[in-house]
Amino acid sequence: MQDMTTADTAAGVSKDEDTESVRSDTNTGDYDGGMQAWLTVLGSCLVYFSVFGVIQSFGFFQEYYQNSYLASTPASVIAFIGTLQITVMNLLAAPAGSIFDCYGLVFPYIFSGIGCSVALVALSFCQPGVIWQPFLIQGVLIGIAIAFGAQAAIVVAAQHFPRHRALAMAIVAAAGSTGGVCFPIIFTQLMPRVGFAWSLRAVAVVIVLCYTMAFFLSTRKYGPRPLTKIWTLLDFRGFRDRRYSVLTFGAFIAMLGQFVPYYYIGKYRPLHLNCSYSTAANPDAPAKQYLLPIMNAASIIGRLLGGLAADELGPLNVVYPMTILSGLQCLGMWLVTSNIRVLVAFVSLYGFCSGVFIAVLPAIVAQISPEENLGGRIGALYSVLSIAQLVGTPIGGALITSNTVYGYDGLIIFGVSCGPEDFKLCADVVKGTTLLVGGVVLFVDRLLYSRDLLVRF
């Protein structure tokens, strides 16, 4: 204990400021909880499969709303429904995680499962052309419901795996990506047969079944503790630890550009352009329609292999080089050419690296947080990152579609002078730079643990 305290103090972590974090570092043993632990991971996978299956199906909803359900509503307004859903989920991550810390799985899983399925059924009764109903139900209510399920699922899996924690969390994250692949297919196949309303109701039944199995499979490792004061639901005490604060800052910068390729390299068409990027760059290439699926598939592989590597090398030792590499790929591949072969290579590599970032990031928080506060600390991180997720992609779109790019301070800092023909160049520079800068900040955070880069952290 004395050696750990001395090392942390030398790294800039005050003993009296964050004794909780120091204690959590020493409590990480090598015993993983056997069959019950893996059953809990399976339950968490079912929840993540449902949660992110709904979230990542919004492309289906966007197309359907634009073509028939909300045909008179601008596409940009419809897109905000999906953005609002993700933002609400992440904004509520801190209280949702703290509720799990205090009361366990029962309330989060019951509330999330029932809330999400009932909201989908309610959405099936919405009136065509009435925009406020999907905004309220899909954007707000579903966002609230999935926040509680997602936080509880990732944290309860992490509790059982002190030694292979990153791998367990990565498996759960990969299940979310699998749901993002399966649910759009379910919607697409059901809709011609039973219609939009009954497709939603059928998916609601799937969600109820997944949550029910997860409820009986999952076991919390630590007992509940009382909630003494209501404001303790917002557990931001982790920011007293410099490592946690620098990690959040670096992840925030990187998150600004993290999902831009997922939105803009595929079929998504910015508001003021006549076609998507892939169509404009390679109109006759059959492979253009597969760019986004390839990126998503590579992301699943990155999540799994990233978690495996993080347990051996340390989560931060894996995340910061992958984040820097993502920025270099944007600047060195997507920026310089639109050749379809290079783009296929880019989406494969970028999907892999971004998958590592997404899956392993919460494992970094877990290694410096007390076990009993793990839900609140991971949730507080994502509550902050929700702001970056909310503004990052719209900023990237504005750089492509707007004539007001001279007003962005970032472009002045980078010394880029843009005319209308250079919007893609500006977007790539900003996006690639945010990833590079975020990766460098994460490297600084790594140095706060130890200046010996060969040590596992």
Side-chain angles (χ1 to χ4, degrees), residues 55 58 79 102 402 444:
I55 292 174
F58 191 75
C102 294
S402 173
V444 173

Side-chain angles (χ1 to χ4, degrees), residues 21 103 106 136 149 153 158 172 233 258 265 279 292 339 395 436:
S21 294
Y103 300 110
V106 175
L136 176 62
V172 175
L233 287 176
Q258 189 67 231
I265 204 168
T279 301
L292 184 57
N339 180 277
I395 288 176
L436 282 175

Side-chain angles (χ1 to χ4, degrees), residues 277 281 331-340 342-343 424 428:
Y277 168 77
L331 296 175
M333 298 179 72
W334 195 13
L335 173 65
V336 298
T337 181
S338 59
N339 180 277
I340 189 64
V342 177
L343 288 179
K424 177 188 177 296
D428 285 337

Side-chain angles (χ1 to χ4, degrees), residues 58-78:
F58 191 75
F60 163 82
F61 289 98
Q62 174 87 26
E63 183 176 359
Y64 177 73
Y65 289 162
Q66 282 183 225
N67 293 335
S68 59
Y69 203 70
L70 299 170
S72 60
T73 305
S76 59
V77 176
I78 295 173

Side-chain angles (χ1 to χ4, degrees), residues 375-440:
R377 297 292 169 87
I378 293 178
L381 171 72
Y382 282 99
S383 291
V384 174
L385 296 187
S386 67
I387 301 172
Q389 289 179 310
L390 177 64
V391 304
T393 301
I395 288 176
L399 291 174
I400 298 173
T401 62
S402 173
N403 289 322
T404 62
V405 291
Y406 296 105
Y408 286 95
D409 292 338
L411 298 179
I412 299 173
I413 294 172
F414 300 134
V416 181
S417 179
C418 299
E421 71 281 0
D422 297 319
F423 288 153
K424 177 188 177 296
L425 174 66
C426 295
D428 285 337
V429 169
V430 172
K431 170 175 54 61
T433 305
T434 58
L435 291 167
L436 282 175
V437 174
V440 171

